[in-house]
Amino acid sequence: MFRRTDFKKLELFGNGKKNTRVFKVKHIKTGKIYVLKEVEARSLDKLNEYKEEAVQLGKVQNHPNILQFYGYYFYETPHNTYKLGIISESIDRESNLEIVYRKRIKIKKYFTENELITMIYSLIDAFAYLEYVGICHRDIKPQNVLINEEDYTLKICDFGCAKHLVKGEPNISYICSRYFRPPELVLGCTDYSTQVDVWSVGCVIAELCLNKPIFPGKSSKEQLYEIIKILNSNDFTKISPYLSIL
């Protein structure tokens, strides 16, 4: 386990959800460069909840298409809060797939077929490994994927919503970003498997190929309509009772 004093912060990469800040840091003793994701919690219970990301990351290491995790630290601040630091491999802040994808759309430089094949293989290979070890990411989207623009391989990152699913144990349904959320989660299902990630991976692949989101719903109800529209189902009577709960 690391200590926060082991690192020197060099650059703030950005801020995220859950009071998260991401830094480029240097390990003082070795001089090696890493990425630090620091999360602030107001209680020990919340800190333990955030530590789940480090726990899940520790289970899925040494795969070429998953961000390499090196360890974590935590400490109490002078303001009676707690901070968790998750240390991972050094990355280029511009390597986020969402950023690269948006820039390409803007200049109409779309991914080629060969580039897409490599990217799709990377995603599927990473997901297959996660399923093998029983980890459900639950938030796969371009923003949580890194791209190497030299060979177009991808790496899945940000395991803040990841969980080892246990059969028969209920899970929260309000998870996974809307455009990439499978129908069962839209409808509030709490008994699901790693197959929810299959839907999200498919949505990412479709967006990369179409150069736009395939299911751009602005609400849960609209999201379900978008899904039905694309899947070419005209029988709305079967789902009408479910729409009333959205």
Side-chain angles (χ1 to χ4, degrees), residues 29-60:
K29 187 175 181 179
T30 64
K32 291 184 178 179
I33 303 299
Y34 297 94
V35 167
L36 162 67
K37 179 179 180 180
E38 201 168 63
V39 189
E40 186 171 15
R42 295 187 179 279
S43 68
L44 279 173
D45 286 343
K46 206 65 180 177
L47 176 69
N48 288 329
E49 180 183 317
Y50 293 157
K51 279 173 64 178
E52 186 67 18
E53 177 175 3
V55 171
Q56 301 309 330
L57 268 170
K59 296 177 181 177
V60 294

Side-chain angles (χ1 to χ4, degrees), residues 40 48 66 68 128 136 151 153 164 177 196 217 228 236:
E40 186 171 15
N48 288 329
I66 294 176
Q68 183 69 38
C136 191
D151 60 12
T153 54
H164 177 77
S177 298
V196 297
I228 294 167
F236 286 88

Side-chain angles (χ1 to χ4, degrees), residues 8-209:
K8 179 181 179 181
K9 294 176 180 176
L10 302 178
E11 181 183 357
L12 174 64
F13 275 178
N15 301 301
K17 57 187 179 181
K18 298 180 181 178
N19 299 315
T20 300
R21 304 181 81 190
V22 180
F23 298 90
K24 177 181 179 180
V25 297
K26 181 173 72 173
H27 188 256
I28 296 172
K29 187 175 181 179
T30 64
K32 291 184 178 179
I33 303 299
Y34 297 94
V35 167
L36 162 67
K37 179 179 180 180
E38 201 168 63
V39 189
E40 186 171 15
R42 295 187 179 279
S43 68
L44 279 173
D45 286 343
K46 206 65 180 177
L47 176 69
N48 288 329
E49 180 183 317
Y50 293 157
K51 279 173 64 178
E52 186 67 18
E53 177 175 3
V55 171
Q56 301 309 330
L57 268 170
K59 296 177 181 177
V60 294
Q61 287 311 288
N62 302 315
H63 189 282
N65 303 118
I66 294 176
L67 185 72
Q68 183 69 38
F69 164 74
Y70 291 106
Y72 68 93
Y73 63 77
F74 59 89
Y75 64 96
E76 186 174 359
T77 74
H79 308 293
N80 296 320
T81 62
Y82 302 88
K83 284 193 176 183
L84 168 71
I86 298 176
I87 308 298
S88 61
E89 65 180 287
S90 176
I91 59 171
D92 182 347
R93 65 181 301 176
E94 298 298 316
S95 66
N96 184 280
L97 180 58
E98 176 82 8
I99 294 174
V100 173
Y101 161 69
R102 295 297 175 192
K103 284 183 177 179
R104 281 175 164 256
I105 291 295
K106 191 173 182 179
I107 62 176
K108 297 184 178 181
K109 184 182 178 182
Y110 308 121
F111 292 115
T112 67
E113 182 177 343
N114 286 337
E115 291 167 353
L116 286 169
I117 289 172
T118 300
M119 294 160 70
I120 291 169
Y121 179 85
S122 296
L123 278 177
I124 293 176
D125 194 40
F127 165 73
Y129 178 70
L130 290 177
E131 185 177 40
Y132 172 74
V133 297
I135 302 298
C136 191
H137 187 280
R138 303 197 297 180
D139 198 19
I140 293 177
K141 57 184 178 180
Q143 190 177 348
N144 289 339
V145 178
L146 305 173
I147 181 171
N148 182 335
E149 288 194 85
E150 292 185 1
D151 60 12
Y152 293 92
T153 54
L154 303 180
K155 286 191 177 188
I156 293 178
C157 63
D158 198 338
F159 281 70
C161 295
K163 183 182 179 183
H164 177 77
L165 300 183
V166 178
K167 189 173 182 179
E169 183 179 295
N171 305 289
I172 62 172
S173 60
Y174 191 72
I175 202 162
C176 188
S177 298
R178 186 185 303 121
Y179 288 3
F180 309 93
R181 190 178 300 154
E184 59 266 41
L185 296 188
V186 176
L187 292 171
C189 177
T190 58
D191 184 12
Y192 52 83
S193 70
T194 55
Q195 294 300 299
V196 297
D197 281 348
V198 175
W199 180 275
S200 300
V201 168
C203 291
V204 172
I205 291 172
E207 183 167 339
L208 293 174
C209 294

Side-chain angles (χ1 to χ4, degrees), residues 217-239:
K218 296 179 181 178
S219 65
S220 294
K221 184 177 290 188
E222 189 175 317
Q223 186 69 21
L224 200 55
Y225 275 122
E226 290 289 337
I227 292 170
I228 294 167
K229 183 172 65 178
I230 293 295
L231 296 181
N232 199 26
S233 172
N234 295 318
D235 189 359
F236 286 88
T237 60
K238 292 182 179 179
I239 65 156

